[in-house]
Amino acid sequence: MSPLHQRDFQNKLLRLLTDVDFTTLVGYLEPIELPRHFVFALTNRITEHTYFLESGICSVVVRSSTGLEAEVCIIGSDGMVPPTSVLGATSVPFEITMQTEGLGYRIETATLIAAYNASVSLRVQIPRQPAP
């Protein structure tokens, strides 16, 4: 497999990283096919990986205790899934699934958190944002 170059990525977060941060993460990124209905996260279930979409769109859906649900946002090649990964959350209060097939890269969330905590520039590029 040929080495991955930052310029070859479509994901905007990965493209914005400094050379040092990209070099830190790239060796841990695993390519993955993301079929329609692929489940990234289920409500209150542990998420072990964080995903950077290269193509396709996923939906973040919240569900009430009575079963009502609403899509609260969509994420594509502009972000990461789940968006709360760097907060250190091991589970999320929503469901995230692919709406259209796509491609992406995944990284173990623990690895991403360690890199995030060790790098000021990474914390600037991937700010701690509240959950959708």
Side-chain angles (χ1 to χ4, degrees):
M1 180 162 130
S2 62
L4 298 173
H5 298 284
Q6 193 169 7
R7 67 183 176 273
D8 297 330
F9 283 83
Q10 299 302 310
N11 184 278
K12 290 171 183 62
L13 280 178
L14 294 175
R15 288 181 68 103
L16 287 172
L17 297 179
T18 65
D19 291 341
V20 171
D21 290 331
F22 180 79
T23 301
T24 299
L25 296 180
V26 72
Y28 298 101
L29 295 173
E30 303 171 45
I32 184 169
E33 291 185 20
L34 301 167
R36 187 167 189 254
H37 301 300
F38 178 86
V39 177
F40 295 100
L42 293 172
T43 305
N44 299 321
R45 301 280 174 88
I46 293 174
T47 57
E48 296 179 3
H49 292 93
T50 299
Y51 299 81
F52 294 91
L53 274 64
E54 290 283 291
S55 61
I57 297 172
C58 67
S59 291
V60 179
V61 175
V62 294
R63 189 177 317 252
S64 73
S65 60
T66 61
L68 297 174
E69 60 182 47
E71 182 179 62
V72 293
C73 77
I74 58 172
I75 301 171
S77 63
D78 54 342
M80 64 183 191
V81 181
T84 55
S85 293
V86 294
L87 296 174
T90 57
S91 65
V92 293
F94 39 77
E95 296 177 5
I96 307 172
T97 57
M98 282 299 284
Q99 291 303 310
T100 62
E101 68 180 31
L103 300 171
Y105 289 89
R106 74 179 189 175
I107 186 172
E108 289 186 13
T109 299
T111 301
L112 178 61
I113 290 170
Y116 183 86
N117 290 334
S119 170
V120 172
S121 58
L122 194 55
R123 291 192 302 271
V124 170
Q125 293 300 323
I126 305 176
R128 293 178 185 248
Q129 297 185 15

